[in-house]
Amino acid sequence: MRHRGWLAALVALIVAVGAWGLQPRLRRMRADTADRLGPSVSALAESVDAAHARRDWVSAVRWGMPLVRRKPRNADALCDLALAIHNVSLDATAIEGGAKPPLRNSLERIRYDNLAIAVMDSSRACASNLRDWIRAERFVGNFYETLGLPLEALARYEAVLARAPGDSAALARRYWVGTHLMDPGATDFPRFESRADPLPNRVRRPPRR
Amino acid sequence: MNGRVPPTENRQASGTRATLRCLLVLGWCAAATRSAGAERPDSPLVLREHYAHSIAALGYPGARRAFQIGHGSQASSGEAAVTWRLVSAPGAVFTSPVYFERDGVPIAHWWMVSARESVHFEAAAAPNTALGDSSLELSVLATTVWRGAEPGESVLQIQIRAEPEGPHVVPWDAPRAVHPAVWKDGIAFRDDKVVAVLRGGESSSDPSGARRPAATRDAAALRGVAPGARTAVWRARLRPGESHRCEVWMPLYPLVEAALVSRGRTHAQVAAAARRGWREWIANAATLVTPDAQINAAWRAALVTLIQCQEREDGHWVPIGSPFQYRDVWLRDGARMVRALAVAGLTEWARDDAWSLTRFSLPSGALLSQRGQLDGTGQGLWAFEQACALPPDRDAARHFLPPALRALSWIEGQRRTTRDLGLTWPGLLPYADPRDGELVRAQLVGNDAWSYAGCRAVAVLARLAGDGAAERRAFAAANDGRDAFEQALGRTRHPDVPPSWQGEGNDWGNAAVGYPTGVLPPDAPRLAALAKRIWTAAGNTGLASYGRPDLLHGYLGSDLAQNALLAGRPAEARDYVRALLAHSSSTLGQAETFERTSGGFGANLPPHGTAAATLVDLLRNMIVCDWRDSLELGMGGGLAWWSGTRLERAPTRFGRVTIRLERPASNRLHASWTPVATLTRVRIPDGARAVAALTPGTRRVTERWIECLPGTSEASIVIVLEGTRGTP
C-alpha cells in the first residue's frame, strides 16, 4: 500500500509539472484559436454595447452571437443577445437601407421569438445573483406580453414577485396584465393601486401531482 | 389576415363612359377570341372585370415573387415595369382587362385597340433554372394587326421604369432604385442590372391563313433609342390585315451581367413551359365539371391561386397569403389553404403546408403566427386534421400528433387558468389583441370557436393514429370548451353571435362558429340571425362587408354560406357563389376587400389565397360533403347542376370519391359515386321533390333526401318539379 501511495504521488507530480510546463503553450493555443475566431471578447462586448446604444439590433445579434459562443454562461451577454434577437423580430424597419423589415416572414419572426425566449431563459439559468435572475425572468414576461400571450406573461411576473415581492417593474406589469385580463377594454394607462389586487377572484388550487 | 390599407382610388372614368368602353373592348376581345379559335384550351377566357383595376398574378410554386400584369398594358417584376403605349393611333386607344386561358392556365392575354390597329399581348412566366433556383422568366409577345383600310405605320412605345402605374406592390427584397431604369441597345438596365430585354419578332400571315406580304419593318427604329432613354419604340409599316410581333423578356430578379440574357428562352419556349407546368398541376387536382362554365373556370382559377401561393422554405412548402402583398404566412389563411388543397386532392401540398405550420409552435405548445392572434392554435390543429384525414392516413396522423398534443395542452392550460383567475368570462381563452380581424382587445369569440375545433381535430388525429387515451383527452377538452362557449353565449345579451365576449369588435371569427369550427350547429338560430345581420349590413349584395357597409369582403361571408348549405338553405350558398363571381376579376381572382361602388381595392391586390381556398371548399361541399357522419351528395347545386356535374378524385373522410349528377329525364335524377363504407345521402335539389328511389339499397327518407346503404354506388330518383329560387 505504501508503494502504491508513493507511485500515485509521483504520477501526480509529473502530471502537475508537465501541465505547469505546458501551460504557456496551452495559453498560446487558446489565444491562437481566439484570434482565428475573430475579435477578442472585450472587442465583441464593446461592439454589442455600441449596437445596443444605436438600437441597431441586427448588428447587436451579429456581435452578440460570437460573444455568447465565447462566454456561454455569461448572464449579461445572454441577456443582451436575447434582447437584440427579440428586437430584430419586432423591427418594422431595417437599420441599413430600405424600409423593409429585417425578417421576411412570420416563420422567421416566430423562430426569432422562440430563440429570444430560449436565450433569455439561459440567462436566467446562468444568473449568479438575484438581480440578474429577476431581470431575465421579467424580460421573458415582456416577450410573452409582446407576443400577445398574457397568461404566460403573468406567470413570469408572478415568479419574479415570488422571489422579490417589492420588484416595482414586475408589480406594475402584473397590475397591467391583471387589470386587462379582468377587463380587456380597460385603459392602456390604468392607475396603479399598490394595495389593490387586479385579480381579486383568483382561486388557488393545490399543486397538481 | 385582413387588408389594413383601405381602398382609396375610384374608377377613372365616369360610369356610363366606363361601361361603354368596357363593353366595346369586351366585345372586341370576344370577337378576336372567337376568330382565334375559342374552343382551343389556350385561347383567352374573356370575362368581365369587376374591379376598378385589372390585375393578374403570374407566379409559380416555389418562386418568392410573382409578375404583375396590369393595370392597363403593363408588366412588372417588382423591380422593373414595362408599359406599352400605342402612340401611332390618332384617336383613343382602349386597353382590355387581363384574361387567363380557357383551361385555367395563367398565361395572361390582353388587347390594346385603336380605330386602325389592335395589339394582342400574351404574357407567360415559367421557371428557368439557368437564372436561379427560385427565379422565373416572363415573356410578353405583342402582336399588332393592322385593321385600317389603308397602309400605315404602327408605333408601339415600350417604356421602362422601376414601378408600374396604379396599384402595385414592391417586393420585400426589392432594393430601392438608385438610378432610373433605362434602355440601352434593346436591353433595359436598372442600377446596372438587366431588368428587361426587347427582342425582335416576326412578321406573319393573317389569321385567315392567306399569305400576306411581310410587314415592312424599320430595323433601325426597332431599338432606335439613345442610351439612357426610358422608352424604346417598335415601328412597322403595315398593310391591311398584316401583323407583326415584338417580344419583351423579363427576369424575376435583375441579372448582374448582360451576358446572362442569352440564357433566356424564346416566347414560344416560355409559353410552352408554362402551359405544360400548369396543366400538370391542374390535372393533379380533383376535376370539377358542372353545366356552368364560369363555375368550372372559377374552380380552376382558385386552384391556380392556391398553387401560386406556395413558397418553398427549409425544404418544405409554405402557404402564403397572396402572390403580391401578402407574401407571408398566417395560420388563419394557411389553415384554409391546407383545407382547400386537401379537398382538391393536392394532398402532398396540403400535408407539407400543414407541417410548415408546426414551425409556429412556441415552448408552451401554442401555435402563433402573428402577435395576439390566439385563434392560430385552433386553426393550426384543424389544418393538421384536414391534411391527415382527407383522405385518412394513419402515418400522417402519427407524424402530426406530438405537436398537436402540445398545442392541446396549451389550450387546456389557458382555459384552466382563466377559471383559476376568476375572470369574468372563465373557461375560455384570455383577451387578445390581434391587430386584425376584430380589431379590438377583447376575449374573442372566434378564438374559443377555433380552440374547440382544434381539440376536436386532435381527437380525430389521435383516433387515426390509434392513440385512444389522447383521443379521449382531446374529446374531453372539446366538450369542456363547448360547454364554456355555450354558457358564455347564454350570458351575452347579444341577439346573435358577438365578435367578442365583451361585445366589441368587427365581425370576424364569430362568422366561423358554425362552419368550420362546429362549436354551434350550422342550423343554430343564432347563426341564422348572424348571417341575416351580416348580409343586411353589406346591402344584401350576397357578400359580407368588413368594418363598414361599403367595404365588401372576398371571403368573410364564406363560412355563413357554408352554414346555410349545411342547414338546408343551399340557395344562400348559391347566392354567395354568384355574388362572389360577380365581384371577381377578369381572371376570376378575388380581392380581399374592395369598395362596393367603385370596385377599388387600394393596395390590397387580388387574388387572395383565402378567397380562393374558401371558394374551393364551398364548391366541393356543394357537391360532396363529409361534415356529418354520412357522405352527402348534391347539397348545394340547383336543379341545373344535375344536367351533368362531376367531381373526380375528390378526397373525403370516407376515402377518395368520384361523383356524377345527371338528369336522364325531366322527372328523373341519377347520382353515381365511388362507394364508401358509410351511409350516403343524396339531396334533392331545390325546385324538385323526390317521389321514389328506384335503385336497390336506396330509399326515400323525405321529399328532400334519399338515403343509400354503405357500399351503394348509384341512386336513381323519380322527382316532380316545383318553383325554385337561385339557380347556380
Side-chain angles (χ1 to χ4, degrees):
Chain A
M1 290 294 289
R2 277 171 60 192
H3 284 296
R4 276 192 198 165
W6 275 107
L7 190 63
L10 185 64
V11 170
L13 184 67
I14 291 166
V15 169
V17 169
W20 185 76
L22 283 173
Q23 224 174 12
R25 184 179 168 78
L26 286 172
R27 268 203 298 271
R28 273 202 306 279
M29 280 173 64
R30 275 202 295 270
D32 288 349
T33 308
D35 287 344
R36 278 203 304 279
L37 284 175
S40 66
V41 167
S42 59
L44 286 171
E46 279 176 22
S47 297
V48 168
D49 288 346
H52 274 261
R54 60 176 193 274
R55 306 173 74 80
D56 177 357
W57 310 119
V58 173
S59 296
V61 172
R62 187 187 304 146
W63 298 118
M65 286 286 193
L67 180 63
V68 162
R69 273 198 295 275
R70 307 269 284 277
K71 308 277 280 182
R73 297 192 62 80
N74 183 308
D76 287 340
L78 287 161
C79 180
D80 285 345
L81 178 60
L83 281 175
I85 292 168
H86 170 74
N87 287 336
V88 167
S89 174
L90 270 184
D91 241 358
T93 309
I95 295 297
E96 296 167 23
K100 65 185 183 187
L103 302 179
R104 200 175 80 86
N105 63 23
S106 54
L107 288 166
E108 290 187 9
R109 285 192 291 277
I110 290 297
R111 185 164 63 84
Y112 268 59
D113 287 327
N114 267 326
L115 187 59
I117 291 169
V119 175
M120 195 59 88
D121 273 337
S122 297
S123 173
R124 186 196 53 192
C126 294
S128 56
N129 56 57
L130 183 61
R131 187 184 62 87
D132 288 355
W133 188 95
I134 287 171
R135 178 186 63 183
E137 188 74 348
R138 224 167 34 205
F139 274 132
V140 176
N142 292 159
F143 293 172
Y144 278 121
E145 242 191 288
T146 309
L147 282 168
L149 295 164
L151 298 183
E152 283 85 336
L154 183 73
R156 298 295 184 143
Y157 297 142
E158 293 191 337
V160 171
L161 293 171
R163 292 186 69 173
D167 185 273
S168 58
L171 278 170
R173 289 321 306 163
R174 177 183 181 273
Y175 192 85
W176 196 98
V177 173
T179 299
H180 288 92
L181 282 167
M182 290 302 290
D183 177 11
T187 172
D188 280 350
F189 306 100
R191 186 191 165 106
F192 179 67
E193 301 281 352
S194 60
R195 294 186 181 178
D197 182 359
L199 297 162
N201 308 325
R202 182 176 210 151
V203 178
R204 302 265 178 202
R205 292 187 190 219
R208 288 158 66 89
R209 300 185 71 183
Chain B
M1 98 293 319
N2 189 53
R4 304 295 298 276
V5 185
T8 50
E9 79 284 7
N10 292 315
R11 284 188 193 278
Q12 289 175 340
S14 64
T16 314
R17 266 184 58 197
T19 307
L20 280 173
R21 197 168 77 171
C22 177
L23 288 174
L24 182 73
V25 175
L26 208 65
W28 197 90
C29 294
T33 306
R34 270 197 300 276
S35 65
E39 299 310 312
R40 286 174 48 180
D42 58 356
S43 64
L45 179 62
V46 175
L47 297 168
R48 189 177 163 195
E49 173 63 66
H50 294 97
Y51 297 128
H53 294 96
S54 184
I55 284 173
L58 294 188
Y60 214 82
R64 288 190 168 188
R65 290 183 187 174
F67 289 104
Q68 177 183 327
I69 304 298
H71 176 70
S73 198
Q74 299 189 96
S76 169
S77 66
E79 287 195 47
V82 172
T83 306
W84 289 264
R85 287 201 169 86
L86 200 48
V87 293
S88 52
V93 176
F94 300 115
T95 304
S96 77
V98 187
Y99 309 110
F100 282 166
E101 298 191 340
R102 193 161 285 275
D103 60 358
V105 168
I107 288 184
H109 296 259
W110 73 99
W111 282 267
M112 296 175 79
V113 185
S114 75
R116 58 184 195 180
E117 61 213 306
S118 79
V119 189
H120 167 244
F121 293 85
E122 179 183 273
N128 183 342
T129 50
L131 303 174
D133 285 346
S134 62
S135 193
L136 303 178
E137 60 185 335
L138 175 80
S139 180
V140 185
L141 172 65
T143 307
T144 304
V145 177
W146 191 258
R147 301 165 64 211
E150 301 296 325
E153 185 182 52
S154 174
V155 183
L156 195 58
Q157 186 188 72
I158 304 164
Q159 186 175 11
I160 187 78
R161 57 181 135 190
E163 297 175 25
E165 289 176 344
H168 66 277
V169 174
V170 177
W172 175 85
D173 55 351
R176 282 181 179 164
V178 178
H179 305 294
V182 292
W183 288 105
K184 185 181 176 187
D185 295 331
I187 298 178
F189 293 87
R190 182 187 138 162
D191 294 334
D192 299 325
K193 294 178 182 168
V194 177
V195 290
V197 178
L198 190 56
R199 291 167 163 174
E202 300 164 359
S203 59
S204 69
S205 57
D206 76 356
S208 65
R211 195 74 191 161
R212 300 272 181 160
T216 310
R217 281 179 291 153
D218 182 349
L222 166 63
R223 290 167 190 173
V225 290
R230 296 185 196 171
T231 57
V233 288
W234 183 276
R235 297 172 190 277
R237 188 156 185 83
L238 298 169
R239 286 184 284 252
E242 272 188 344
S243 65
H244 80 134
R245 301 172 166 194
C246 82
E247 293 177 20
V248 169
W249 180 88
M250 296 178 82
L252 191 56
Y253 298 92
L255 305 179
V256 290
E257 289 177 35
L260 295 173
V261 165
S262 62
R263 297 183 182 178
R265 294 174 294 180
T266 65
H267 179 81
Q269 289 171 323
V270 175
R275 288 195 179 99
R276 195 167 50 243
W278 280 103
R279 283 174 183 165
E280 191 176 325
W281 301 122
I282 294 169
N284 284 341
T287 303
L288 172 66
V289 179
T290 73
D292 186 331
Q294 198 177 6
I295 293 283
N296 308 341
W299 171 269
R300 291 192 296 264
L303 293 178
V304 165
T305 299
L306 291 172
I307 294 169
Q308 285 197 347
C309 287
Q310 296 294 316
E311 277 193 4
R312 196 87 179 145
E313 195 168 304
D314 286 351
H316 291 280
W317 293 104
V318 173
I320 59 167
S322 87
F324 295 129
Q325 70 277 11
Y326 291 135
R327 293 205 82 98
D328 200 341
V329 192
W330 283 259
L331 276 158
R332 52 185 53 182
D333 297 282
R336 300 286 189 157
M337 295 170 81
V338 168
R339 161 80 182 173
L341 290 166
V343 300
L346 297 168
T347 312
E348 294 309 313
W349 253 323
R351 291 206 179 126
D352 216 33
D353 278 354
W355 188 251
S356 290
L357 301 183
T358 63
R359 290 169 59 190
F360 288 122
S361 184
L362 291 171
S364 59
L367 296 165
L368 191 79
S369 61
Q370 269 70 25
R371 298 183 177 97
Q373 297 185 2
L374 302 191
D375 50 358
T377 302
Q379 287 157 341
L381 291 170
W382 179 76
F384 299 167
E385 179 203 348
Q386 307 310 311
C388 298
L390 293 165
D393 188 301
R394 185 185 181 91
D395 291 339
R398 283 180 171 168
H399 190 51
F400 277 91
L401 193 56
L405 288 172
R406 285 196 295 275
L408 177 69
S409 296
W410 180 80
I411 293 173
E412 292 168 329
Q414 296 282 302
R415 289 176 181 161
R416 190 168 54 241
T417 307
T418 59
R419 281 197 180 101
D420 289 353
L421 293 175
L423 301 192
T424 313
W425 300 92
L428 303 162
L429 295 196
Y431 75 79
D433 188 358
R435 299 176 182 83
D436 195 356
E438 293 87 348
L439 283 179
V440 70
R441 181 176 60 217
Q443 281 179 278
L444 304 177
V445 169
N447 288 355
D448 293 302
W450 278 109
S451 293
Y452 168 79
C455 295
R456 281 193 62 91
V458 177
V460 173
L461 284 175
R463 189 194 307 144
L464 280 173
D467 187 338
E471 182 187 353
R472 286 189 293 277
R473 177 187 152 198
F475 265 127
N479 292 337
D480 174 57
R482 191 186 52 219
D483 291 347
F485 189 98
E486 286 175 349
Q487 283 172 23
L489 197 56
R491 285 174 57 203
T492 65
R493 295 179 180 172
H494 203 279
D496 46 70
V497 184
S500 69
W501 299 117
Q502 283 75 24
E504 315 253 319
N506 291 326
D507 288 312
W508 186 260
N510 53 332
V513 301
Y515 187 89
T517 65
V519 68
L520 288 185
D523 57 356
R526 279 180 185 270
L527 282 178
L530 173 68
K532 187 177 178 187
R533 176 166 65 79
I534 289 179
W535 300 138
T536 306
N540 290 313
T541 50
L543 300 178
S545 57
Y546 176 73
R548 56 190 167 85
D550 284 340
L551 191 64
L552 297 182
H553 202 279
Y555 57 87
L556 179 56
S558 166
D559 291 338
L560 303 176
Q562 296 265 22
N563 286 337
L565 183 70
L566 293 163
R569 306 190 307 272
E572 285 180 43
R574 292 197 295 274
D575 287 347
Y576 175 82
V577 171
R578 189 167 44 242
L580 192 66
L581 297 185
H583 291 88
S584 295
S585 74
S586 49
T587 51
L588 290 171
Q590 292 81 35
E592 185 179 40
T593 55
F594 52 94
E595 297 286 349
R596 180 166 59 172
T597 48
S598 69
F601 45 68
N604 201 346
L605 277 55
H608 192 280
T610 306
T614 51
L615 179 61
V616 164
D617 193 16
L618 179 57
L619 290 175
R620 178 266 196 186
N621 281 350
M622 288 169 79
I623 295 162
V624 58
C625 184
D626 50 2
W627 170 263
R628 292 181 268 252
D629 289 337
S630 56
L631 190 72
E632 296 179 313
L633 308 182
M635 289 265 285
L639 196 54
W641 278 23
W642 281 80
S643 299
T645 286
R646 67 176 200 275
L647 180 62
E648 295 174 354
R649 306 181 312 280
T652 72
R653 291 195 293 125
F654 310 114
R656 206 176 286 268
V657 297
T658 290
I659 301 106
R660 283 189 170 76
L661 306 177
E662 290 156 322
R663 193 176 171 192
S666 62
N667 69 338
R668 189 73 60 87
L669 301 179
H670 184 263
S672 57
W673 63 95
T674 310
V676 294
T678 188
L679 274 181
T680 299
R681 300 171 76 225
V682 181
R683 189 184 188 279
I684 306 304
D686 295 346
R689 284 183 285 122
V691 176
L694 305 178
T695 315
T698 68
R699 71 181 181 101
R700 175 183 173 277
V701 181
T702 65
E703 62 184 25
R704 191 57 68 206
W705 287 101
I706 302 295
E707 201 169 83
C708 314
L709 293 173
T712 314
S713 62
E714 62 174 339
S716 209
I717 307 147
V718 179
I719 58 165
V720 291
L721 299 181
E722 60 184 16
T724 187
R725 167 190 166 226
T727 50

